[in-house]
Amino acid sequence: MGDQHSTVSVEETAAKIQAAAAVTVLCHVHPDADTMGSALALAIALHRAGTPVQVSFPEPHELPRSLELLPRRDLVVPPAALPDAAELLVVVDCSSADRLAGLSGQIAASDTTLVIDHHRTNTFFGDLHYVDADAQSTTVLITRVLDALGVEIDADIATCLYAGLVTDTGGLRWANPESLLLAARLLGTGINGAELLRGLMDTHPFAWLPMLGAVLGRAELEPAAACGLGLVHTVVLHTDVAGVAWEEIESVVDIVRTSAEAEVAVVLKEQGEQRWTVSMRSKGLINVAEVALKLGGGGHAAAAGYSATGTRDDVLAALRSVLG
Ligand SMILES: [Mn+2]
């Protein structure tokens, strides 16, 4: 296990990748566009350079519909098809080993685990870490690595990088200057950014609408919670989600967080009998990554999450006590 002393520069990261005879790239469980875009961008570059490379992610090994927009998914293999041990394991967009779920055993089995991530709550669980919490997406970091490797950013790689960049910046809503400059550079390769963004962020099956109706109808506002800054929360029950993929459920919090009266928005998603995953968003006054850390999870200052057990009221009570 590494620690902060195992931090490496972008040049050292590129050199390590260049020296590897074969590379396995792992994404986090329930992959999103940032983890998969990062993995595929790196894999496409390595494949082109003649380095054997494969991408995988933990079970359930089912790619969200929106990520079918990404190129070269033939580089993605199911966990069972991975070698037992990789010479170089690159883990992208994962703040902790548990985000690899059933694939976390790959860390101990590989010669070297290189973690590339932008979560402030990263636990430095590998051997080498290129972690920069000021980067707004892991694809920003992958771009720096590809530049250090002298890789040409073609349309396929640009599509993967752009997918992670736009989704992790809320469709560039909170993009910083580095992100916007990167967006301009990637669009300059000729990719259709509007079509990609619509497919990734603004497209849902019809079943999303009745699910939203039920879930938003039970939203509650607690003006006194979160130090008086206001908390809005709702619950996604198992019975709401028939015919709706988990990625559709992930989008609920982005609607709940628009409530003007609440600094913090929370969605409790029922995973089983008294088992929940909790998504949190803040508007900037409360650091929800710190809240999530205290409750066993992690994330970013404005977007974080954790797992919890108990009744809905137990989970909300524990959350209120941390939020203040
Ligand atoms: Mn990310």
Side-chain angles (χ1 to χ4, degrees):
M1 285 292 173
D3 55 27
Q4 304 248 355
H5 299 294
S6 56
T7 292
V8 287
S9 66
V10 63
E11 291 81 13
E12 290 168 307
T13 302
K16 192 75 199 172
I17 290 170
Q18 194 147 41
V23 177
T24 295
V25 190
L26 296 185
C27 302
H28 61 68
V29 66
H30 292 322
D32 62 10
D34 193 29
T35 193
M36 189 53 70
S38 294
L40 280 173
L42 181 59
I44 291 168
L46 287 170
H47 182 78
R48 197 193 290 156
T51 304
V53 59
Q54 48 213 336
V55 172
S56 193
F57 60 91
E59 299 287 355
H61 193 80
E62 202 175 299
L63 209 58
R65 171 194 44 78
S66 62
L67 298 190
E68 287 170 10
L69 295 165
L70 298 183
R72 294 307 308 265
R73 292 183 320 285
D74 55 301
L75 295 169
V76 182
V77 302
L82 286 175
D84 291 336
E87 179 195 323
L88 179 63
L89 188 70
V90 182
V91 180
V92 291
D93 199 43
C94 284
S95 56
S96 56
D98 62 305
R99 296 286 286 152
L100 289 177
L103 284 176
S104 55
Q106 288 269 331
I107 297 168
S110 68
D111 293 349
T112 305
T113 299
L114 167 65
V115 176
I116 303 178
D117 185 39
H118 71 127
H119 291 89
R120 203 166 293 280
T121 54
N122 193 286
T123 60
F124 291 78
F125 58 94
D127 301 305
L128 302 171
H129 305 88
Y130 178 46
V131 176
D132 180 355
D134 292 328
Q136 291 192 304
S137 71
T138 298
T139 60
V140 169
L141 302 180
I142 295 293
T143 306
R144 294 184 199 158
V145 173
L146 296 181
D147 284 344
L149 285 167
V151 170
E152 184 210 339
I153 308 290
D154 64 3
D156 274 359
I157 292 178
T159 297
C160 296
L161 297 173
Y162 196 75
L165 180 68
V166 294
T167 51
D168 269 27
T169 56
L172 300 175
R173 273 183 197 85
W174 51 83
N176 66 19
E178 183 185 17
S179 296
L180 284 174
L181 285 167
L182 177 57
R185 177 183 168 194
L186 298 173
L187 290 175
T189 65
I191 61 171
N192 189 335
E195 187 179 290
L196 192 58
L197 190 143
R198 185 172 60 246
L200 287 167
M201 303 186 74
D202 289 338
T203 302
H204 300 282
F206 175 78
W208 187 64
L209 299 178
M211 184 275 286
L212 266 188
V215 169
L216 297 181
R218 45 176 107 91
E220 290 177 30
L221 179 68
E222 298 186 26
C227 307
L229 296 169
L231 166 69
V232 59
H233 56 81
T234 192
V235 177
V236 180
L237 298 174
H238 214 64
T239 47
D240 295 322
V241 299
V244 182
W246 64 265
E247 60 175 323
E248 258 62 65
I249 300 160
E250 296 306 297
S251 63
V252 169
V253 73
D254 287 322
I255 297 167
V256 175
R257 72 176 168 81
T258 58
S259 305
E261 298 88 342
E263 161 69 15
V264 177
V266 171
V267 174
L268 273 62
K269 294 162 285 182
E270 189 179 38
Q271 301 297 316
E273 184 74 21
Q274 302 216 342
R275 288 191 301 115
W276 308 85
T277 56
V278 183
S279 296
M280 289 188 288
R281 297 291 184 272
S282 84
K283 293 175 182 167
L285 295 175
I286 290 183
N287 183 336
V288 288
E290 286 173 11
V291 174
L293 264 183
K294 286 179 185 158
L295 293 162
H300 304 287
Y306 61 97
S307 298
T309 54
T311 65
R312 163 191 177 276
D313 290 344
D314 293 338
V315 176
L316 285 172
L319 175 65
R320 277 187 211 101
S321 71
V322 174
L323 276 175

